[in-house]
Amino acid sequence: MTSKIFKSILSVAIAVLLSSLVIIIGALYPYFGNVQESQLKDELSLAADATEQLGESYLQGLDYDRYRLTWVDADGTVLFDSHADTAAMESHADREEIKEALVSGNGSSTRQSSTLTEQTIYEATQLNDGSVLRISVSRATALVLVLGMLQPIAIVLVIAIALSAWLAHRMANKVVEPLNKLNLEKPMENEAYEELAPLLRRINAQHKEIKAQMQTLKRKQDEFEQITGNMKEALVLLDNRGRIISINPAARTLFGASASCIGEDFLTIDRKQNMRLALEHAKTQGHADFRAKENSREYQFDLSRIDSDGNSHGMVILAFDVTEQVNAEKHRQEFTANVSHELKTPLQSIIGSAELMENGIVKAEDVPRFVGHIRKEASRLVFLIDDIIRLSALDEGAEMPHENVSLKVLSEEICETLADAAKLKDVSLEVTGDDGVVNGVRRLLYDVVYNLCDNAIKYNNPGGSVKVTVAQKSSEVMLSVQDTGIGISPEHQDKVFERFYRVDKSHSKQSGGTGLGLSIVKHAVQYHHGKITVESELNKGTTITVLFDTRA
Amino acid sequence: MRNRFDAQLFELNREIIEMGAMCEEAIAAAVKALSSGDIALAEKVKASGGAIDQMERDIEGRCMKLLLHQQPVARDLRLISAALKMITDMERIGDQAEDIAEIVTFLEGHTMEGMELIEEMARETIEMVTESVDAFVKKDVALAQKVIDQDDIVDDYFSKVKRGIITLIAENHTDGEFALDLLMIAKYFERIGDHATNIAEWVIYSVTGKHKEV
């Protein structure tokens, strides 16, 4: 800005300087030329008069500082010259002013010197005797005048440049000052040049637009971050060169990456072979998945290429924890294997007995024992199948009729049923406590109490006791079955509710049962949104407590 | 121009990480083959050496091209020159993993039973390799320094293993060839530790511009 202003000021100054120079010289030079000419004419006429009267003697007596006089004869021979030797001079007859004077009595001409630095003005007049007297004066040309003035002009120019620079600087500052003071954050509150108003209005409008866009952008970003931030699944977005664009907290934990990894190569946070191969595969095929163990949990990794208009824009890596799923799968497989085994054992036994009888190996008196054995094993099978059906019904979570059931009445009923079995093992049975009314499925509650009591009797020592206590509390009903039996060691306590789990494998045949009892108990309690806890000490006894919430 | 250069540096960085990962996998697999006596796995490790060599040549070519075409300066130049040195060490690690795998194929059923020291040494060495690659990935000088310090531990292990083998021979008069194989394996691990140390030193150089005092 300063330089622009400087240039304009300077060019104006130079233009003014030059034009005034031209005008002054152009006007003054001819004026002074004319004055000189008329002076010359006066001198000439004076000299002519004097020469006519006095002849050459007059001419020689003159002072020739200012001009030159030449007396030329009518034929052109120089009779006298104030500045040169007449003898050496050629004929002047062809000179313009002489010719003119010879013809019309008066003549004049102007000639430039060969170097153009001087101009000589000639005036000639014819004397009465026919000869011609010529006066001439030399003066500097306009060019020489201008050249002579160069130095002062240069000084003026330098002053002009300095002045313009200073002025330009000051002016620029002055012009810019209000612009610099503009508050662009709040464009409409400025009091600057009114010429700036459209610009300020425009800035204001753009401000608003940018703000709105920023808000939209931030909202979208927040939404995205909220969604991905709360995702349990790990999500990583990569650009088409494999750099991380976005990584959610779950993924950061999974890959052990810091927040600063954005923009880095994905390989910097995971360079394992299976990941590299999957990345390569997904890049060419569009999709890849694999399972891998990370931090002792099983993860499923899904990689998908992001395509749009036939161009690849990057990659999405999604990883989710499939540990539960893998475990469930394992459980299911184990369960299937267990079921087949448990179903097969009694059937083998039945087949064996039947074959023995078929082949007539069994003596007649032993037949009832064998038939009894077959019946026992068959009913065991039925029990087992019943239990499995019950469990799968619970697994499906089918809706069953609810009613108010008194746990105490139920427990007493069950104890009556189990009285014979208890007597056989020499175990005493006792039910105490409140009514304990629970709104639930009668059959399931029956299973709960039955299985708990059955176990308490089965795994009891001779002479032991089983105490069933029902307690009604303000918001829940507690049922506890306490025995004085063999107890469960701590490492087994968590597992006794698993299907087909047995603390002592060899024990199972002896005590009977299917290995599904406590599993059914657990599912039935869960069905009623209850809680079940085990307290047990080896060889001292076990207390299983069930809490039913009655508020729901 | 700069953009293209950056893209090429990015690719170089990625390839070094990849090569580092390949070395890690090779040595891990070799150790696994060693401790389980899995000859099939050992054969696989031997076969993987070619890929590492190819990778070395690729990276070398890329570095040369970058040096010639871009005439890098300062940090970029350090990265490229460090890369040229590091891949040599990585390639050596790959070769030694191969060598270990080759010995495994000769062991014919001999297992590392009773040679827990070698397994510990192997674990320490794998950790060093992993950490040196990690140090490069994260440009982490502190981690690189840790790797350099760790080399002493591996060196100690080597002398311990050596003494162990000597007593083994003295007490049991075991198969001499087996004892020598064990010693070779221990030596390879010790060498791998040295290469990991070199990588760590070049990582420090590429970040700080200072290579260890000679």
Side-chain angles (χ1 to χ4, degrees), chain A residues 466-496:
Chain A
V466 175
K467 268 188 207 153
V468 181
T469 315
V470 181
Q472 176 94 51
K473 292 180 182 169
S474 59
S475 61
E476 55 191 12
V477 172
M478 187 200 77
L479 169 89
S480 85
V481 179
Q482 188 183 12
D483 67 44
T484 55
I486 55 173
I488 310 164
S489 63
E491 70 261 30
H492 294 302
Q493 282 178 17
D494 286 341
K495 296 182 181 160
V496 290

Side-chain angles (χ1 to χ4, degrees), chain A residues 10-162:
Chain A
L10 190 66
S11 51
V12 167
I14 290 174
V16 167
L17 191 71
L18 287 179
S19 53
S20 40
L21 207 66
V22 166
I23 289 168
I24 288 169
I25 289 175
L28 289 185
Y29 193 74
Y31 171 74
F32 284 114
N34 286 340
V35 169
Q36 208 169 22
E37 225 165 275
S38 59
Q39 266 177 2
L40 215 57
K41 272 182 184 154
D42 291 346
E43 294 273 358
L44 183 65
S45 65
L46 273 175
D49 287 347
T51 313
E52 293 226 23
Q53 285 163 21
L54 300 172
E56 199 176 330
S57 56
Y58 163 75
L59 292 172
Q60 270 167 354
L62 278 174
D63 179 15
Y64 295 106
D65 277 352
R66 284 174 46 226
Y67 44 83
R68 173 180 175 187
L69 270 176
T70 316
W71 192 17
V72 183
D73 205 7
D75 61 358
T77 323
V78 179
L79 298 172
F80 172 82
D81 191 278
S82 58
H83 282 68
D85 185 10
T86 49
M89 291 176 80
E90 64 206 22
S91 167
H92 272 40
D94 56 341
R95 301 290 166 94
E96 198 183 331
E97 67 281 357
I98 307 271
K99 272 198 280 187
E100 212 180 306
L102 284 175
V103 174
S104 62
N106 282 310
S108 69
S109 79
T110 309
R111 279 201 291 277
Q112 301 276 345
S113 75
S114 56
T115 53
L116 288 180
T117 51
E118 275 196 338
Q119 196 176 33
T120 314
I121 306 169
Y122 299 94
E123 285 292 336
T125 186
Q126 194 171 31
L127 302 185
N128 291 335
D129 62 354
S131 63
V132 174
L133 188 67
R134 187 185 73 173
I135 188 162
S136 68
V137 69
S138 289
R139 63 171 191 190
T141 58
L143 185 67
V144 174
L145 279 178
V146 171
L147 285 175
M149 276 162 72
L150 266 186
Q151 197 183 4
I153 288 174
I155 292 170
V156 170
L157 262 182
V158 168
I159 292 172
I161 288 172

Side-chain angles (χ1 to χ4, degrees), chain B residues 40-98:
Chain B
L41 186 61
E43 294 288 354
K44 237 170 88 184
V45 175
K46 274 166 70 183
S48 74
I52 294 179
D53 290 349
Q54 183 57 45
M55 196 86 199
E56 189 202 7
R57 279 194 291 278
D58 289 350
I59 296 178
E60 209 174 60
R62 187 182 285 280
C63 286
M64 287 303 170
K65 237 191 260 168
L66 277 170
L67 284 175
L68 286 173
H69 292 173
Q70 308 283 357
Q71 283 148 16
V73 290
R75 215 181 55 189
D76 301 334
L77 179 63
R78 288 206 302 273
L79 174 72
I80 295 169
S81 49
L84 275 171
K85 300 294 290 182
M86 272 191 290
I87 53 170
T88 319
D89 284 309
M90 284 181 181
E91 193 265 339
R92 295 299 307 146
I93 291 177
D95 282 354
Q96 266 140 5
E98 251 179 271

